[in-house]
């Protein structure tokens, strides 16, 4: 099951190490962007958004459309995030807010219905075939050569965006008035409402922000992955694994867990290609046994 020879050959080559590390970083950063929205929404609203992968798909298709029309990838990425955020706010206000406090089965059914509806709408609007954006013109340049390996400039951009979002999200929740209000409302919604603060508005904005993170991930994934209806399901499962390992409600934990799983998937594709998914679930199982709250989870956003 373990290809020791291939793994040893790769680890003995600096070029192979650089290539695998860059691939692992890309996988990890996309997982982080999706998982950070999941953990942010759960940490404050205590809702598991099973439809979160759908906003990843919405971001990807919106970015694809804007890029096709304008030719500007930066505008497309911003549009993907904005589109996911707007639909996320509408989803929160008119659908998911109706099941706050309900049992998890009810939330699951509501989200599943939303997933099916949006998947069909995507088929109607964009068709059921695979679509490919391709690497944007602005990033079509020679790859960076590092220790014999090659790193495409778009990979560097993607990692930089993810790191900026990591620090931005932590600061937003920990240091801004918006973050303090939503954290206070998460602990005692009634008390915050008595102070004259429109708690539902803040919850909707937070939910929209979480969906925007998924939309950004979709927009960043569009140049390197195929677009197809239902593309959010696979990454949703992996993002839940990231969230469990990192700790529900911890953005920093999600980042570390996503980085770990990205490297496991990248290195594992050489050393144990038939057990990559199994390895990810095994890590999750070990974490759940040894530290059930996850690496940095304490049940609230930090």
């Amino acid at each position: 099951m373990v290809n020791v020879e291939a793994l040893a050959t790769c680890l003995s080559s600096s070029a192979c190490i650089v290539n695998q590390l860059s691939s692992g970083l890309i996988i990890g950063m996309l997982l982080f962007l999706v998982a950070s929205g999941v953990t942010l929404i759960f940490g404050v609203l205590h809702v598991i958004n099973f439809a979160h992968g759908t906003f990843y798909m919405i971001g990807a298709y919106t970015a694809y459309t804007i890029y096709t029309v304008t030719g500007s990838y930066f505008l497309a990425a911003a549009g993907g995030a904005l589109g996911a955020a707007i639909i996320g706010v509408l989803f929160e206000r008119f659908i998911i807010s109706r099941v706050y406090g309900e049992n998890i089965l009810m939330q699951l059914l509501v989200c599943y219905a939303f997933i099916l509806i949006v998947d069909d709408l995507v088929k109607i609007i964009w068709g059921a075939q695979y679509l490919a954006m391709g690497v944007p013109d602005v990033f079509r340049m020679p790859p960076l050569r590092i220790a014999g390996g090659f790193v495409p400039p778009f990979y560097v951009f993607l990692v930089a965006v993810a790191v900026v979002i990591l620090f931005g999200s932590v600061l937003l929740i920990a240091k801004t008035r918006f973050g303090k209000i939503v954290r206070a409302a998460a602990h005692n919604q009634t008390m915050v409402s008595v102070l004259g603060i429109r708690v539902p508005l803040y919850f909707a904005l937070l939910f929209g922000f979480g969906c925007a993170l998924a939309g950004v991930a979709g927009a960043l994934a569009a140049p390197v992955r195929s677009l197809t209806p239902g593309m959010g399901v696979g990454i949703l499962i992996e993002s839940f694994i990231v969230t469990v390992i990192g700790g529900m409600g911890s953005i920093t934990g999600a980042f570390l867990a996503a980085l770990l799983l990205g490297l496991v998937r990248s290195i594992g594709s050489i050393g144990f290609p038939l057990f990559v998914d199994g390895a990810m679930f095994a890590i999750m199982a070990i974490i759940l046994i040894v530290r059930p709250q996850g690496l940095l989870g304490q049940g609230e956003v930090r």
Side-chain angles (χ1 to χ4, degrees):
M1 183 174 68
V2 179
N3 192 337
V4 178
E5 183 178 353
L7 189 59
T9 301
C10 180
L11 294 179
S12 63
S13 166
S14 61
C16 183
I17 292 175
V18 169
N19 292 337
Q20 294 307 118
L21 285 179
S22 63
S23 297
L25 282 175
I26 295 305
I27 297 170
M29 293 306 99
L30 290 176
L31 283 176
F32 161 69
L33 290 174
V34 178
S36 61
V38 173
T39 199
L40 188 63
I41 292 171
F42 175 82
V44 176
L45 303 180
H46 304 295
V47 171
I48 301 177
N49 182 15
F50 294 100
H52 203 69
T54 299
F55 296 98
Y56 168 82
M57 179 180 66
I58 290 171
Y61 273 95
T62 303
Y64 170 83
T65 302
I66 295 176
Y67 181 71
T68 302
V69 174
T70 66
S72 171
Y73 178 70
F74 299 112
L75 185 61
L82 182 62
I86 292 173
I87 296 176
V89 170
L90 296 175
F91 175 64
E92 194 276 344
R93 279 295 78 205
F94 295 105
I95 300 178
I96 199 69
S97 63
R98 312 284 180 176
V99 294
Y100 282 165
E102 299 288 343
N103 63 60
I104 195 167
L105 178 60
M106 181 63 73
Q107 295 175 9
L108 175 62
L109 291 174
V110 169
C111 290
Y112 189 57
F114 180 75
I115 292 170
L116 295 179
I117 291 170
V118 176
D119 280 355
D120 281 351
L121 289 176
V122 168
K123 292 176 185 175
I124 293 172
I125 298 173
W126 285 281
Q129 72 279 8
Y130 285 89
L131 298 176
M133 175 188 290
V135 177
D137 293 337
V138 69
F139 292 108
R140 290 183 180 175
M141 58 185 72
L144 305 175
R145 187 177 177 84
I146 302 174
F150 295 95
V151 180
F154 182 73
Y155 283 18
V156 178
F157 170 74
L158 196 155
V159 172
V161 170
V163 172
V164 170
I165 288 177
L166 165 65
F167 287 106
S169 299
V170 172
L171 290 176
L172 175 69
I173 297 301
K175 300 295 182 182
T176 67
R177 183 174 185 272
F178 172 82
K180 292 175 182 176
I181 289 175
V182 294
R183 282 190 290 133
H187 285 288
N188 194 328
Q189 181 176 345
T190 303
M191 183 194 73
V192 176
S193 299
V194 169
L195 296 175
I197 295 174
R198 298 175 63 185
V199 174
L201 173 63
Y202 279 87
F203 280 177
L205 291 175
L206 179 78
F207 197 96
F209 178 70
C211 294
L213 294 178
V216 170
L220 292 173
V224 293
R225 294 188 176 180
S226 298
L227 279 64
T228 181
M231 62 183 287
V233 175
I235 199 165
L236 175 66
I237 295 172
E238 293 185 358
S239 70
F240 275 134
I241 297 175
V242 168
T243 304
V244 171
I245 292 176
M248 299 293 280
S250 173
I251 297 174
T252 308
F255 182 82
L256 295 176
L259 201 59
L260 172 65
L261 292 190
L263 294 176
V264 167
R265 181 168 283 282
S266 177
I267 301 297
S269 64
I270 295 177
F272 41 92
L274 300 180
F275 193 67
V276 173
D277 290 336
M280 293 172 59
F281 282 100
I283 293 172
M284 183 181 72
I286 292 171
I287 292 295
L288 285 175
I289 293 171
V290 177
R291 189 175 169 80
Q293 70 271 35
L295 294 175
L296 300 179
Q298 292 185 356
E300 61 181 13
V301 174
R302 294 182 293 113

